[in-house]
Amino acid sequence: MRGFLVSSIGVTCAAALALPLTPPALAATARPVPAAEAARPAPHAGTPATTPTGRRAAEPSAAGSTQSLPLEPLTRDRATPSAPATEQGLPRRAVRHFSLVGVVWDDPDAELHGRVQVRTRTAGTGTWSGWQDVETHNADHAADPDTPERASGRVRGATAPLWVGDSDGVELRVRSESDGSAADSAGPASGARNLPAAPPLPSGLRLELVDPGEDDAAAPGAEEGRRAADALNAENSAATEAAAVNADLAPLGVTEIAALSRAETEQEYLALDVGGLTEQQRQAKPYVGPRPGIVTRRGWGANEGLRESGFRYTKKVKAAFVHHTASGNNYRCSQVPSLIRSIYRYHVKSMGWRDIGYNFLIDKCGKIYEGRAGGVAKPVLGAHTLGFNSNSMGIAVLGSYGATKPSKSAVRAVARLTAWKLGLYRVNPKGKTYLKSAGSNLHRKGKKVRLNVISGHRDGFKTECPGRKLYGKLGSARSKAARYQGR
């Protein structure tokens, strides 16, 4: 999977000349700006006003927000002007601040056959990036078919998200392409060769611009303050719920679950009694790796009011699927909480999932983060490997690793995390296991599939994930994890 990240009067005037003006229809229906949103720096000239019609309302920026912009036809076939456009997008424009982009569409079962490219303007410098590709093949990261999450009616088709950093301008183009067109365009000219017609683009294409929010929200006004207080009470209740499921590991409200020594982990292993230990298992030396430090959802700033309430579990953890987020490598480790908040918001608000899809996330500095709520030691049902979410966990390494090698720290973190979590369920990281497919493009529904305990996403679904370079490191991760378990 592919992926990538003015204040002066003079610059503002230049932006006004360079960018398209706000359409009159939008300007006429612009809504009042909430106090928290007004606290953000004013957008550059040419910003389209947000309207309640044709786009979802954006939350106050300080708490995180999503701008959802419908795409426009960029080209039409002159011979059949009534036919659907094969290229859609948005001309260059100024928008409110955002840091992550993605494209969504109505039908989650529809595929986008083509290319999505975006350019963004860096806030503060006004510099425009070059065209960046957005990974279009993302349907393989999803809840299993026939599950309540998949059948909720809220789920949409989507590209992978792309982290671009703090930006305030955007330009987008989405081109339909036949499966062979990219390869043919790279080859020699073939004269009158007939190429297959480009398939139609999915309906309801929208550009999602996600602002992860800030640590300190602006002071709200009186009425907004009352609404914010109600929302805060609900969020606090959900936050307490999310923290309580880790109470056996750490005090409520901690931002990081501390690492343990091997001896401490073995004591915890007996106390947790995952799956019910037999007397013989209690007497035997456990093969479980030392618990690594894990940044909690509170630690990365999850707004617990976004997700669906409650938790969903599977029976056990028999395997770990390793992914990459395909969100690009242009992030600093200090930005990771913002990056995860953005992916969380994109998964829930844009794609319609109940929570972030992955059970854990790992950054390129090797830090481990709690993903989907429900408890880091528990068998939380995720939405990461279509067809194989039951009895497994999903670990996403933040970044794109098709052509870029993952850091040694990230690979080591995968090994440390799996040595501990799989060890709790008495599973050998170097072993094999069987999982029953819920249906994928690689394994039919109901088939029992033999897999490595630590597998790549591509082992359960025909996909490039977790990228060729990261997939090539999984053998090393398996060996390290087994050593961490004392095998």
Side-chain angles (χ1 to χ4, degrees):
M1 295 169 64
R2 306 186 294 267
F4 192 26
L5 204 34
V6 214
S7 57
S8 72
I9 295 175
V11 173
T12 303
C13 292
L17 292 172
L19 299 172
L21 297 177
T22 305
L26 289 178
T29 56
R31 62 170 172 81
V33 179
E37 189 174 311
R40 293 296 298 251
H44 294 275
T47 303
T50 302
T51 70
T53 304
R55 68 182 65 172
R56 293 187 294 279
E59 296 81 3
S61 297
S65 66
T66 302
Q67 301 170 73
S68 185
L69 310 176
L71 303 196
E72 308 165 1
L74 297 181
T75 59
R76 286 195 181 276
D77 188 339
R78 293 181 180 179
T80 54
S82 61
T86 56
E87 184 173 5
Q88 296 184 34
L90 290 173
R92 186 184 296 195
R93 64 180 62 191
V95 291
R96 288 188 289 107
H97 285 239
F98 68 95
S99 296
L100 179 139
V101 305
V103 173
V104 300
W105 53 91
D106 295 338
D107 183 359
D109 294 320
E111 293 187 44
L112 196 165
H113 296 280
R115 193 173 189 183
V116 176
Q117 292 181 302
V118 66
R119 298 181 64 205
T120 55
R121 183 175 63 188
T122 303
T125 67
T127 303
W128 283 89
S129 72
W131 287 105
Q132 303 176 60
D133 284 305
V134 180
E135 174 56 57
T136 59
H137 300 290
N138 193 50
D140 44 325
H141 299 80
D144 287 340
D146 303 322
T147 59
E149 182 171 7
R150 178 72 175 185
S152 68
R154 299 188 304 270
V155 179
R156 287 179 286 275
T159 67
L162 177 66
W163 175 260
V164 295
D166 190 18
S167 304
D168 59 8
V170 69
E171 183 178 5
L172 178 78
R173 61 191 184 197
V174 179
R175 292 173 176 166
S176 175
E177 295 179 351
S178 62
D179 291 338
S181 61
D184 288 327
S185 64
S190 54
R193 185 176 181 183
N194 292 323
L195 294 176
L201 292 170
S203 62
L205 288 168
R206 305 180 74 92
L207 173 64
E208 304 287 289
L209 304 175
V210 180
D211 181 347
E214 300 172 345
D215 293 334
D216 298 316
E223 178 60 28
E224 187 180 345
R226 283 191 289 271
R227 291 197 302 269
D230 292 340
L232 184 61
N233 288 335
E235 183 184 343
N236 285 342
S237 175
T240 300
E241 177 189 47
V245 288
N246 288 319
D248 290 339
L249 309 181
L252 288 178
V254 299
T255 57
E256 184 168 357
I257 297 170
L260 296 181
S261 67
R262 179 175 296 279
E264 291 169 330
T265 301
E266 291 177 355
Q267 292 177 0
E268 178 188 73
Y269 168 83
L270 295 173
L272 290 175
D273 192 21
V274 173
L277 294 166
T278 65
E279 186 59 33
Q280 184 178 5
Q281 288 171 331
R282 285 187 169 277
Q283 297 302 321
K285 179 177 175 60
Y287 291 108
V288 58
R291 188 182 78 193
I294 303 172
V295 177
T296 63
R297 289 171 64 92
R298 180 183 177 90
W300 55 260
N303 176 353
E304 299 295 352
L306 285 183
R307 65 175 174 84
E308 189 177 304
S309 62
F311 312 113
R312 300 289 182 272
Y313 297 99
T314 185
K315 292 181 180 179
K316 61 186 75 172
V317 178
K318 298 172 61 179
F321 285 99
V322 178
H323 304 256
H324 68 174
T325 56
S327 50
N329 302 314
N330 190 26
Y331 70 88
R332 300 187 302 275
C333 290
S334 61
Q335 295 175 310
V336 168
S338 292
L339 173 53
I340 297 177
R341 288 199 303 275
S342 297
I343 294 174
Y344 171 44
R345 176 171 282 273
Y346 185 69
H347 282 182
V348 175
K349 302 294 282 186
S350 299
M351 297 180 66
W353 295 357
R354 71 183 316 273
D355 194 353
I356 193 169
Y358 308 112
N359 298 105
F360 297 93
L361 302 100
I362 293 173
D363 68 24
K364 56 190 174 186
C365 292
K367 189 172 283 293
I368 302 168
Y369 299 81
E370 179 183 13
R372 180 164 287 206
V376 296
K378 299 180 184 296
V380 179
L381 179 65
H384 49 82
T385 308
L386 181 63
F388 292 95
N389 290 305
S390 292
N391 296 331
S392 71
M393 66 175 179
I395 303 168
V397 181
L398 293 162
S400 302
Y401 298 102
T404 302
K405 288 183 180 179
S407 68
K408 292 181 180 179
S409 297
V411 176
R412 189 181 307 116
V414 170
R416 290 171 57 227
L417 174 59
T418 52
W420 172 69
K421 183 70 181 271
L422 293 171
L424 295 180
Y425 292 84
R426 296 170 288 284
V427 176
N428 183 348
K430 290 186 71 175
K432 305 280 187 179
T433 191
Y434 282 91
L435 292 179
K436 186 177 181 180
S437 172
S440 76
N441 64 359
L442 199 57
H443 303 288
R444 61 174 173 78
K445 183 177 180 179
K447 180 181 179 180
K448 290 185 177 180
V449 182
R450 188 169 185 258
L451 296 160
N452 287 310
V453 164
I454 299 179
S455 283
H457 187 180
R458 63 174 63 181
D459 295 317
F461 197 100
K462 189 177 180 181
T463 174
E464 292 182 17
C465 184
R468 180 172 58 88
K469 295 290 188 179
L470 177 54
Y471 188 77
K473 294 293 184 181
L474 295 188
S476 173
R478 295 181 193 110
S479 298
K480 284 185 171 68
R483 287 200 298 271
Y484 288 141
Q485 285 189 349
R487 295 183 187 272

